[in-house]
Amino acid sequence: MAKDIHCPLPGVFYRKPAPNEPNFVEDGASVAAGTVIGLVEVMKSFHEVTAEEAGDNIRFEVENEGQVTAGTVLAKMD
Amino acid sequence: MDLTGKTLFVANRGEIAVRIVHAAKALGLRTVQAHSEADADMLAVRLADEGVEIGPAQATKSYLDVDRVVAAARESGADAVHPGYGFLSESPRFARAVEAAGLIFVGPSADTIERMGDKARARETAIAAGVPVTPGSDGRIESVEAAARIAGELGYPVMIKAAAGGGGRGIRVIESEADLAKQMPAAQSEAEAAFGDGGLYMERFVDKARHVEVQILGDGDRAVHAWERECSLQRRRQKVWEEAPAACLSQEEREALCASAVRLAESVGYRGAGTLEYLFDEARREFYFIEMNTRIQVEHPVTELVTGIDLVAEQIRVAFGAPLSLEQDDIRLDGHAIEVRVNAEDPAKNFMPFPGVTGAMHLPEGVRFDTMLYEGYAIPPFYDSLLGKLIVKGDDRAAALARLAEAIDATRLEGLKTTLPLHAALARDPDVARGDYHTTWLEDWLKTAGLG
């Protein structure tokens, strides 16, 4: 069954810690519970988004620097 | 000077854009309000005569895009551009581009912005104008022996700072000569590693410093001050609460401080509104210039309430070439004003941002609330969290504090989490009532007494 990772806050979603660095997690990877999968910038402050449970074959639904609202599905996993 | 029919382009957003539109309208100006895609429904757009979209939500592609903002201003038929605070307000490149497009920049010349924006040049300018700066080494310290000699003259504790550092990085506090001998080599290699330059300089460390600042106005020939403010209540180096005048100063100290600011402003032929920031060493009763902000500031309303001057209107008139309408002797202090910043942050959850939808609003009579909010407004998550400023005035500081506590209790902003509960607690705090605080007091208070 697919598992969704929801965005906790509205703002801008970043897949990498800084512009010149690699993504936190690449598409297709397996993640453990608590893994940081991205950042949300809200009102000039940055908040980590973590996977609440473990999953395989992660597929991102939102691009780097995409605008999000609270509840947006950021990624799906198996 | 009659400005009727002239057009002002407002290159900012939020509460300051609202403030500028109101001031411009009162002067008879037509207003064009710039906005990003995410800001089409903001209050300043509703109040202005016209709104112009300048790009996507991200500030780097809209409010910070010099070419785009200048092109939009020119196409709108504007005569002048008001940059507000933040964004491009202290960009010499922006000021030059506005003037190159044949428009008036509401602020000082690009050269003045550049000169005062460079810390080392600003310090030299201050020294040349006879304005006290933080005592320290004259340039770099070359050896531990030389450093020890200077530290002996300044008195411990001192700070050593990386010459190439900035923003609070590369700073060490040194307590004694033994400490200096131990820490200086480490600081050198750390600076070399971090900044590619091992150079260090030394300044006196001001413990329990207070932040005071002087409001000045200039027309290019003459400058006046509108007295000072105190902004020592800060969190993460951000001011949260501001007052005018500074209760920690005697009248003699106040006059010396404000006169020094006017000397500096006149020495650079300053035009517009500006603020000189100082540290006040309460133990030594000395003030030291730190930097100048060449724009209107968030906390300008406290000065307006105690002097009766409309700073934004004066700033606009001077930009259009009018001489200052005020003589120094006309500017008198009356009463005491306090401003608290109402941010979209939840103080009960470590100041987590809260970009919600504004419900019913109720503000008490007789207080000033400079705000971007209206009922039904959805606060965008893309910009800073300042929603507005609640400003009160009393005959004296105690009266202003009492007024503030009452005003906060009577304020309702439904649907939002804001920093008002923090201010309600501070307004009743005994240390705040005694004026017994400094620039790191609030951080300590939040860790200990805090919000309970």
Side-chain angles (χ1 to χ4, degrees):
Chain A
M1 201 186 82
K3 304 166 189 170
D4 293 346
I5 301 176
H6 295 274
C7 192
L9 291 161
V12 177
F13 180 65
Y14 295 91
R15 286 192 57 185
K16 42 182 101 180
N20 305 325
E21 290 180 37
N23 290 336
F24 285 104
V25 175
E26 296 298 341
D27 279 85
S30 297
V31 299
T35 301
V36 176
I37 64 137
L39 299 173
V40 181
E41 180 187 8
V42 51
M43 297 184 141
K44 292 178 150 184
S45 73
F46 289 84
H47 300 267
E48 290 183 342
V49 183
T50 54
E52 286 184 6
E53 51 188 339
D56 297 317
N57 189 26
I58 190 168
R59 301 174 299 281
F60 281 86
E61 303 275 307
V62 177
E63 309 229 324
N64 187 49
E65 295 190 23
Q67 289 177 24
V68 291
T69 57
T72 298
V73 176
L74 296 173
K76 291 178 181 293
M77 305 184 292
D78 297 326
Chain B
M1 171 176 280
D2 185 15
L3 299 177
T4 311
K6 300 277 189 189
T7 297
L8 182 70
F9 185 89
V10 184
N12 211 295
R13 64 176 305 283
E15 68 86 23
I16 194 62
V18 173
R19 172 75 184 87
I20 296 163
V21 169
H22 280 309
K25 287 197 151 189
L27 290 168
L29 292 156
R30 182 177 151 262
T31 50
V32 179
Q33 176 63 53
H35 66 85
S36 72
E37 282 171 20
D39 272 342
D41 59 353
M42 74 179 178
L43 183 55
V45 172
R46 295 184 165 203
L47 296 170
D49 295 296
E50 199 185 316
V52 176
E53 194 189 293
I54 52 161
Q58 282 162 284
T60 48
K61 295 174 184 167
S62 50
Y63 300 106
L64 289 169
D65 184 335
V66 169
D67 297 337
R68 191 143 187 183
V69 173
V70 173
R74 204 177 40 214
E75 282 160 26
S76 76
D79 299 286
V81 175
H82 198 306
Y85 53 65
F87 294 127
L88 296 172
S89 61
E90 292 179 285
S91 159
R93 182 163 105 76
F94 182 60
R96 280 195 187 101
V98 167
E99 287 182 358
L103 309 181
I104 292 166
F105 178 76
V106 180
S109 69
D111 288 347
T112 300
I113 297 173
E114 204 156 45
R115 177 171 177 179
M116 300 317 287
D118 176 323
K119 286 226 170 189
R121 288 180 67 197
R123 185 178 159 104
E124 284 165 19
T125 306
I127 293 167
V131 176
V133 297
T134 318
S137 59
D138 193 13
R140 297 179 178 219
I141 41 177
E142 302 297 346
S143 65
V144 175
E145 292 70 33
R149 187 169 40 74
I150 298 163
E153 286 164 18
L154 296 173
Y156 289 94
V158 296
M159 284 189 294
I160 48 179
K161 296 183 171 185
R169 295 199 307 149
I171 298 177
R172 284 173 185 236
V173 178
I174 309 290
E175 302 288 345
S176 65
E177 192 167 337
D179 197 19
L180 180 69
K182 199 164 66 186
Q183 296 227 39
M184 202 173 138
Q188 265 165 343
S189 37
E190 203 177 85
E192 178 69 46
F195 311 110
D197 176 354
L200 302 173
Y201 66 100
M202 183 180 286
E203 271 180 14
R204 176 181 285 164
F205 174 70
V206 180
D207 192 28
K208 298 188 175 171
R210 302 181 76 124
H211 176 111
V212 296
E213 58 184 35
V214 181
Q215 176 70 55
I216 57 113
L217 286 164
D219 60 15
D221 293 322
R222 194 165 66 85
V224 294
H225 68 78
W227 304 102
E228 85 290 357
R229 301 182 280 262
E230 172 165 10
C231 325
S232 298
L233 290 175
Q234 304 182 3
R235 179 176 171 269
R236 297 187 173 171
R237 294 169 182 262
Q238 298 293 309
K239 299 163 186 168
V240 303
W241 165 306
E242 300 101 346
E243 304 190 20
C248 57
L249 299 177
S250 69
Q251 187 59 25
E252 200 180 320
E253 288 163 342
R254 169 171 299 120
E255 283 173 10
L257 173 79
C258 295
S260 80
V262 170
R263 282 201 301 279
L264 198 154
E266 289 194 333
S267 80
V268 297
Y270 196 83
R271 183 185 69 214
T275 296
L276 286 89
E277 298 194 328
Y278 298 79
L279 282 185
F280 181 60
D281 184 334
E282 208 172 7
R284 289 188 171 90
R285 308 299 305 177
E286 287 175 8
F287 54 83
Y288 313 125
F289 169 80
I290 349 172
E291 63 178 40
M292 180 170 191
N293 296 320
T294 53
R295 52 169 166 82
I296 195 75
Q297 282 191 260
V298 175
E299 60 270 27
H300 74 276
V302 287
T303 298
E304 295 185 324
L305 289 196
V306 295
T307 61
I309 301 170
D310 184 330
L311 291 169
V312 179
E314 190 70 9
Q315 191 187 22
I316 294 169
R317 278 195 296 262
V318 165
F320 274 94
L324 279 179
S325 68
L326 301 147
E327 297 290 336
Q328 188 63 64
D329 289 345
D330 300 335
I331 307 173
R332 298 218 174 80
L333 272 177
D334 173 43
H336 192 93
I338 304 176
E339 168 184 290
V340 297
R341 297 195 186 191
V342 183
N343 292 344
E345 295 166 10
D346 185 356
K349 285 190 181 162
N350 196 29
F351 297 88
M352 174 75 100
F354 191 93
V357 178
T358 316
M361 293 171 60
H362 173 77
L363 272 299
E365 295 280 306
V367 303
R368 177 168 164 183
F369 188 46
D370 281 18
T371 187
M372 69 191 288
L373 296 177
Y374 59 85
E375 291 182 1
Y377 178 60
I379 300 159
F382 309 109
Y383 311 104
D384 73 38
S385 62
L386 183 67
L387 301 175
K389 296 129 38 177
L390 190 66
I391 313 118
V392 299
K393 184 184 173 188
D395 289 340
D396 57 24
R397 186 165 184 271
L401 272 171
R403 193 86 200 265
L404 177 66
E406 279 167 32
I408 294 171
D409 290 349
T411 300
R412 294 279 171 275
L413 299 172
E414 307 279 345
L416 305 177
K417 301 277 190 197
T418 76
T419 46
L420 279 172
L422 167 72
H423 297 305
L426 290 173
R428 293 178 174 84
D429 185 90
D431 284 358
V432 173
R434 279 195 306 272
D436 184 11
Y437 52 73
H438 47 82
T439 52
T440 55
W441 179 90
L442 180 56
E443 300 262 3
D444 295 339
W445 183 87
L446 285 166
K447 274 183 227 144
T448 52
L451 294 162

